[in-house]
Amino acid sequence: MRRLLTPPWIVLHCFAVVLTVAFGLLGWWQLSRAQGGNAISWGYAFEWPLFALFTLVLWIRQMRLELRKDRPAESRRGKPEPPPMTSPFESAILKARQTDIEPSHGSHA
């Protein structure tokens, strides 16, 4: 839990709260405009609260993923860790890196 109180996480918490409140206020504003006769504002009146909900869902998801790092690997619902992803071109990339590292045998003038 202490991991969620580090400076980067505090910034993220503040950002999520500001976005959620801003989206809620924008939805309220669009609802008042829609009730005043602006027909296109009805769409925005429903869209802004969805943005707020999306922000909350992502915020909670990120916190849960961060806290999951604290648990031991075997207690993660019995799922083994997936193997690391590799590129189909990995051998060619490694060969190219090796040729870049090796010094050239010619003389430089």
Side-chain angles (χ1 to χ4, degrees):
M1 189 66 165
R2 192 180 311 159
R3 185 180 288 186
L4 297 179
L5 297 176
T6 60
W9 270 101
I10 291 172
V11 169
L12 186 63
H13 296 318
C14 292
F15 187 61
V17 168
V18 167
L19 279 180
T20 303
V21 170
F23 291 157
L25 291 173
L26 285 168
W28 186 262
W29 172 59
Q30 288 295 333
L31 181 63
S32 66
R33 286 189 51 167
Q35 290 173 339
N38 188 347
I40 201 164
S41 290
W42 281 110
Y44 293 118
F46 293 107
E47 186 177 79
W48 286 114
L50 286 176
F51 288 158
L53 182 64
F54 184 67
T55 302
L56 287 174
V57 167
L58 285 180
W59 182 26
I60 292 168
R61 179 179 180 267
Q62 285 304 114
M63 286 190 295
R64 291 183 70 193
L65 286 174
E66 187 69 22
L67 291 175
R68 187 177 295 166
K69 292 178 186 177
D70 291 338
R71 293 191 315 199
E74 61 271 357
S75 68
R76 293 182 185 163
R77 296 184 188 174
K79 296 180 184 174
E81 290 290 325
M85 294 184 63
T86 58
S87 168
F89 306 107
E90 187 169 4
S91 60
I93 293 169
L94 292 174
K95 187 188 288 186
R97 285 183 185 165
Q98 286 294 74
T99 58
D100 289 344
I101 294 173
E102 294 173 3
S104 61
H105 296 292
S107 62
H108 295 284

